[in-house]
PDB file of all heavy atoms in Angstrom:
ATOM      1  N   LYS A 357       4.395   3.290  15.464  1.00 96.00           N
ATOM      2  CA  LYS A 357       3.638   3.891  14.342  1.00 96.00           C
ATOM      3  C   LYS A 357       2.293   3.208  14.221  1.00 96.00           C
ATOM      4  O   LYS A 357       1.960   2.534  13.257  1.00 96.00           O
ATOM      5  CB  LYS A 357       4.440   3.833  13.036  1.00 96.00           C
ATOM      6  CG  LYS A 357       5.681   4.672  13.038  1.00 96.00           C
ATOM      7  CD  LYS A 357       5.347   6.130  13.278  1.00 96.00           C
ATOM      8  CE  LYS A 357       6.603   6.978  13.351  1.00 96.00           C
ATOM      9  NZ  LYS A 357       6.713   7.697  14.589  1.00 96.00           N
ATOM     10  N   SER A 358       1.509   3.360  15.275  1.00 96.00           N
ATOM     11  CA  SER A 358       0.157   2.828  15.350  1.00 96.00           C
ATOM     12  C   SER A 358      -0.722   3.889  16.015  1.00 96.00           C
ATOM     13  O   SER A 358      -0.245   4.645  16.848  1.00 96.00           O
ATOM     14  CB  SER A 358       0.114   1.555  16.218  1.00 96.00           C
ATOM     15  OG  SER A 358       0.976   0.560  15.716  1.00 96.00           O
ATOM     16  N   ILE A 359      -1.978   3.926  15.611  1.00 95.00           N
ATOM     17  CA  ILE A 359      -2.938   4.819  16.257  1.00 95.00           C
ATOM     18  C   ILE A 359      -4.233   4.043  16.494  1.00 95.00           C
ATOM     19  O   ILE A 359      -4.517   3.051  15.829  1.00 95.00           O
ATOM     20  CB  ILE A 359      -3.243   6.083  15.443  1.00 95.00           C
ATOM     21  CG1 ILE A 359      -3.849   5.762  14.091  1.00 95.00           C
ATOM     22  CG2 ILE A 359      -2.011   6.962  15.294  1.00 95.00           C
ATOM     23  CD1 ILE A 359      -4.414   6.968  13.378  1.00 95.00           C
ATOM     24  N   SER A 360      -4.975   4.531  17.473  1.00 95.00           N
ATOM     25  CA  SER A 360      -6.277   3.924  17.786  1.00 95.00           C
ATOM     26  C   SER A 360      -7.310   5.017  17.777  1.00 95.00           C
ATOM     27  O   SER A 360      -7.004   6.191  17.868  1.00 95.00           O
ATOM     28  CB  SER A 360      -6.216   3.221  19.133  1.00 95.00           C
ATOM     29  OG  SER A 360      -5.937   4.156  20.164  1.00 95.00           O
ATOM     30  N   MET A 361      -8.581   4.603  17.641  1.00 95.00           N
ATOM     31  CA  MET A 361      -9.645   5.601  17.652  1.00 95.00           C
ATOM     32  C   MET A 361     -10.949   5.019  18.180  1.00 95.00           C
ATOM     33  O   MET A 361     -11.147   3.814  18.122  1.00 95.00           O
ATOM     34  CB  MET A 361      -9.881   6.202  16.276  1.00 95.00           C
ATOM     35  CG  MET A 361     -10.454   5.249  15.260  1.00 95.00           C
ATOM     36  SD  MET A 361     -10.735   5.999  13.635  1.00 95.00           S
ATOM     37  CE  MET A 361      -9.054   6.300  13.105  1.00 95.00           C
ATOM     38  N   ILE A 362     -11.770   5.928  18.700  1.00 95.00           N
ATOM     39  CA  ILE A 362     -13.105   5.605  19.162  1.00 95.00           C
ATOM     40  C   ILE A 362     -14.022   6.588  18.445  1.00 95.00           C
ATOM     41  O   ILE A 362     -13.804   7.810  18.513  1.00 95.00           O
ATOM     42  CB  ILE A 362     -13.226   5.823  20.693  1.00 95.00           C
ATOM     43  CG1 ILE A 362     -12.220   4.941  21.445  1.00 95.00           C
ATOM     44  CG2 ILE A 362     -14.669   5.611  21.144  1.00 95.00           C
ATOM     45  CD1 ILE A 362     -12.021   5.334  22.896  1.00 95.00           C
ATOM     46  N   VAL A 363     -15.027   6.066  17.740  1.00 96.00           N
ATOM     47  CA  VAL A 363     -15.961   6.913  16.991  1.00 96.00           C
ATOM     48  C   VAL A 363     -17.363   6.538  17.370  1.00 96.00           C
ATOM     49  O   VAL A 363     -17.795   5.361  17.250  1.00 96.00           O
ATOM     50  CB  VAL A 363     -15.774   6.756  15.463  1.00 96.00           C
ATOM     51  CG1 VAL A 363     -16.706   7.680  14.701  1.00 96.00           C
ATOM     52  CG2 VAL A 363     -14.314   7.020  15.054  1.00 96.00           C
ATOM     53  N   ALA A 364     -18.114   7.518  17.854  1.00 95.00           N
ATOM     54  CA  ALA A 364     -19.535   7.302  18.213  1.00 95.00           C
ATOM     55  C   ALA A 364     -20.402   7.545  16.975  1.00 95.00           C
ATOM     56  O   ALA A 364     -20.090   8.400  16.160  1.00 95.00           O
ATOM     57  CB  ALA A 364     -19.952   8.287  19.299  1.00 95.00           C
ATOM     58  N   ILE A 365     -21.451   6.755  16.843  1.00 96.00           N
ATOM     59  CA  ILE A 365     -22.374   6.888  15.733  1.00 96.00           C
ATOM     60  C   ILE A 365     -23.790   6.932  16.290  1.00 96.00           C
ATOM     61  O   ILE A 365     -24.150   6.120  17.148  1.00 96.00           O
ATOM     62  CB  ILE A 365     -22.212   5.726  14.729  1.00 96.00           C
ATOM     63  CG1 ILE A 365     -20.801   5.753  14.177  1.00 96.00           C
ATOM     64  CG2 ILE A 365     -23.264   5.841  13.608  1.00 96.00           C
ATOM     65  CD1 ILE A 365     -20.333   4.447  13.613  1.00 96.00           C
ATOM     66  N   GLY A 366     -24.583   7.885  15.833  1.00 94.00           N
ATOM     67  CA  GLY A 366     -25.953   7.988  16.301  1.00 94.00           C
ATOM     68  C   GLY A 366     -26.707   9.075  15.535  1.00 94.00           C
ATOM     69  O   GLY A 366     -26.100   9.895  14.846  1.00 94.00           O
ATOM     70  N   ALA A 367     -28.002   9.061  15.699  1.00 91.00           N
ATOM     71  CA  ALA A 367     -28.846  10.060  15.009  1.00 91.00           C
ATOM     72  C   ALA A 367     -28.682  11.441  15.653  1.00 91.00           C
ATOM     73  O   ALA A 367     -28.744  12.450  14.955  1.00 91.00           O
ATOM     74  CB  ALA A 367     -30.304   9.630  15.036  1.00 91.00           C
ATOM     75  N   SER A 368     -28.483  11.482  16.951  1.00 86.00           N
ATOM     76  CA  SER A 368     -28.341  12.792  17.639  1.00 86.00           C
ATOM     77  C   SER A 368     -27.271  12.702  18.706  1.00 86.00           C
ATOM     78  O   SER A 368     -27.548  12.465  19.873  1.00 86.00           O
ATOM     79  CB  SER A 368     -29.691  13.228  18.230  1.00 86.00           C
ATOM     80  OG  SER A 368     -30.162  12.243  19.137  1.00 86.00           O
ATOM     81  N   LEU A 369     -26.053  12.832  18.257  1.00 78.00           N
ATOM     82  CA  LEU A 369     -24.919  12.779  19.171  1.00 78.00           C
ATOM     83  C   LEU A 369     -24.784  14.072  19.962  1.00 78.00           C
ATOM     84  O   LEU A 369     -24.960  15.145  19.442  1.00 78.00           O
ATOM     85  CB  LEU A 369     -23.619  12.548  18.391  1.00 78.00           C
ATOM     86  CG  LEU A 369     -23.492  11.251  17.612  1.00 78.00           C
ATOM     87  CD1 LEU A 369     -22.192  11.249  16.823  1.00 78.00           C
ATOM     88  CD2 LEU A 369     -23.572  10.057  18.534  1.00 78.00           C
ATOM     89  N   GLY A 370     -24.453  13.903  21.248  1.00 68.00           N
ATOM     90  CA  GLY A 370     -24.146  15.074  22.083  1.00 68.00           C
ATOM     91  C   GLY A 370     -22.659  15.311  22.117  1.00 68.00           C
ATOM     92  O   GLY A 370     -21.887  14.545  21.517  1.00 68.00           O
ATOM     93  N   ARG A 371     -22.248  16.323  22.825  1.00 68.00           N
ATOM     94  CA  ARG A 371     -20.828  16.617  22.955  1.00 68.00           C
ATOM     95  C   ARG A 371     -20.194  15.612  23.905  1.00 68.00           C
ATOM     96  O   ARG A 371     -20.680  15.365  24.988  1.00 68.00           O
ATOM     97  CB  ARG A 371     -20.646  18.033  23.517  1.00 68.00           C
ATOM     98  CG  ARG A 371     -19.174  18.431  23.649  1.00 68.00           C
ATOM     99  CD  ARG A 371     -19.012  19.823  24.175  1.00 68.00           C
ATOM    100  NE  ARG A 371     -19.442  20.829  23.257  1.00 68.00           N
ATOM    101  CZ  ARG A 371     -18.734  21.301  22.239  1.00 68.00           C
ATOM    102  NH1 ARG A 371     -17.544  20.820  22.056  1.00 68.00           N
ATOM    103  NH2 ARG A 371     -19.204  22.227  21.467  1.00 68.00           N
ATOM    104  N   SER A 372     -19.063  15.068  23.459  1.00 67.00           N
ATOM    105  CA  SER A 372     -18.334  14.118  24.283  1.00 67.00           C
ATOM    106  C   SER A 372     -17.925  14.773  25.587  1.00 67.00           C
ATOM    107  O   SER A 372     -17.622  15.958  25.651  1.00 67.00           O
ATOM    108  CB  SER A 372     -17.083  13.675  23.518  1.00 67.00           C
ATOM    109  OG  SER A 372     -16.101  13.214  24.408  1.00 67.00           O
ATOM    110  N   ARG A 373     -17.891  13.967  26.629  1.00 63.00           N
ATOM    111  CA  ARG A 373     -17.485  14.495  27.924  1.00 63.00           C
ATOM    112  C   ARG A 373     -16.072  15.079  27.899  1.00 63.00           C
ATOM    113  O   ARG A 373     -15.757  15.989  28.625  1.00 63.00           O
ATOM    114  CB  ARG A 373     -17.555  13.336  28.947  1.00 63.00           C
ATOM    115  CG  ARG A 373     -17.090  13.740  30.296  1.00 63.00           C
ATOM    116  CD  ARG A 373     -17.302  12.651  31.304  1.00 63.00           C
ATOM    117  NE  ARG A 373     -16.488  12.916  32.470  1.00 63.00           N
ATOM    118  CZ  ARG A 373     -16.231  12.050  33.382  1.00 63.00           C
ATOM    119  NH1 ARG A 373     -16.754  10.856  33.338  1.00 63.00           N
ATOM    120  NH2 ARG A 373     -15.488  12.352  34.410  1.00 63.00           N
ATOM    121  N   PHE A 374     -15.215  14.546  27.024  1.00 60.00           N
ATOM    122  CA  PHE A 374     -13.833  14.997  26.940  1.00 60.00           C
ATOM    123  C   PHE A 374     -13.576  15.899  25.746  1.00 60.00           C
ATOM    124  O   PHE A 374     -12.446  16.275  25.529  1.00 60.00           O
ATOM    125  CB  PHE A 374     -12.883  13.811  26.870  1.00 60.00           C
ATOM    126  CG  PHE A 374     -12.953  12.937  28.065  1.00 60.00           C
ATOM    127  CD1 PHE A 374     -13.475  11.672  27.983  1.00 60.00           C
ATOM    128  CD2 PHE A 374     -12.523  13.392  29.308  1.00 60.00           C
ATOM    129  CE1 PHE A 374     -13.562  10.853  29.096  1.00 60.00           C
ATOM    130  CE2 PHE A 374     -12.607  12.606  30.404  1.00 60.00           C
ATOM    131  CZ  PHE A 374     -13.101  11.331  30.324  1.00 60.00           C
ATOM    132  N   ALA A 375     -14.616  16.202  24.950  1.00 51.00           N
ATOM    133  CA  ALA A 375     -14.408  16.980  23.733  1.00 51.00           C
ATOM    134  C   ALA A 375     -13.962  18.400  24.063  1.00 51.00           C
ATOM    135  O   ALA A 375     -14.485  19.015  24.979  1.00 51.00           O
ATOM    136  CB  ALA A 375     -15.677  17.018  22.889  1.00 51.00           C
ATOM    137  N   PRO A 376     -13.024  18.924  23.277  1.00 42.00           N
ATOM    138  CA  PRO A 376     -12.664  20.340  23.432  1.00 42.00           C
ATOM    139  C   PRO A 376     -13.814  21.218  22.985  1.00 42.00           C
ATOM    140  O   PRO A 376     -14.768  20.757  22.381  1.00 42.00           O
ATOM    141  CB  PRO A 376     -11.423  20.487  22.545  1.00 42.00           C
ATOM    142  CG  PRO A 376     -11.540  19.398  21.568  1.00 42.00           C
ATOM    143  CD  PRO A 376     -12.260  18.259  22.258  1.00 42.00           C
ATOM    144  N   GLN A 377     -13.726  22.504  23.220  1.00 38.00           N
ATOM    145  CA  GLN A 377     -14.779  23.438  22.852  1.00 38.00           C
ATOM    146  C   GLN A 377     -15.103  23.361  21.364  1.00 38.00           C
ATOM    147  O   GLN A 377     -16.246  23.437  20.971  1.00 38.00           O
ATOM    148  CB  GLN A 377     -14.421  24.866  23.247  1.00 38.00           C
ATOM    149  CG  GLN A 377     -14.336  25.086  24.748  1.00 38.00           C
ATOM    150  CD  GLN A 377     -15.665  24.868  25.421  1.00 38.00           C
ATOM    151  OE1 GLN A 377     -16.619  24.327  24.903  1.00 38.00           O
ATOM    152  NE2 GLN A 377     -15.745  25.316  26.691  1.00 38.00           N
ATOM    153  N   GLN A 378     -14.074  23.234  20.537  1.00 38.00           N
ATOM    154  CA  GLN A 378     -14.320  23.109  19.080  1.00 38.00           C
ATOM    155  C   GLN A 378     -13.785  21.743  18.671  1.00 38.00           C
ATOM    156  O   GLN A 378     -12.636  21.428  18.899  1.00 38.00           O
ATOM    157  CB  GLN A 378     -13.543  24.197  18.319  1.00 38.00           C
ATOM    158  CG  GLN A 378     -14.042  25.581  18.612  1.00 38.00           C
ATOM    159  CD  GLN A 378     -13.235  26.615  17.864  1.00 38.00           C
ATOM    160  OE1 GLN A 378     -12.172  26.337  17.319  1.00 38.00           O
ATOM    161  NE2 GLN A 378     -13.752  27.826  17.791  1.00 38.00           N
TER     162      GLN A 378
END
Side-chain angles (χ1 to χ4, degrees):
K357 293 300 178 239
S358 302
I359 62 168
S360 62
M361 68 179 68
I362 301 165
V363 182
I365 299 160
S368 57
L369 296 176
R371 181 180 292 278
S372 156
R373 177 174 162 194
F374 298 111
Q377 294 296 15
Q378 295 179 346

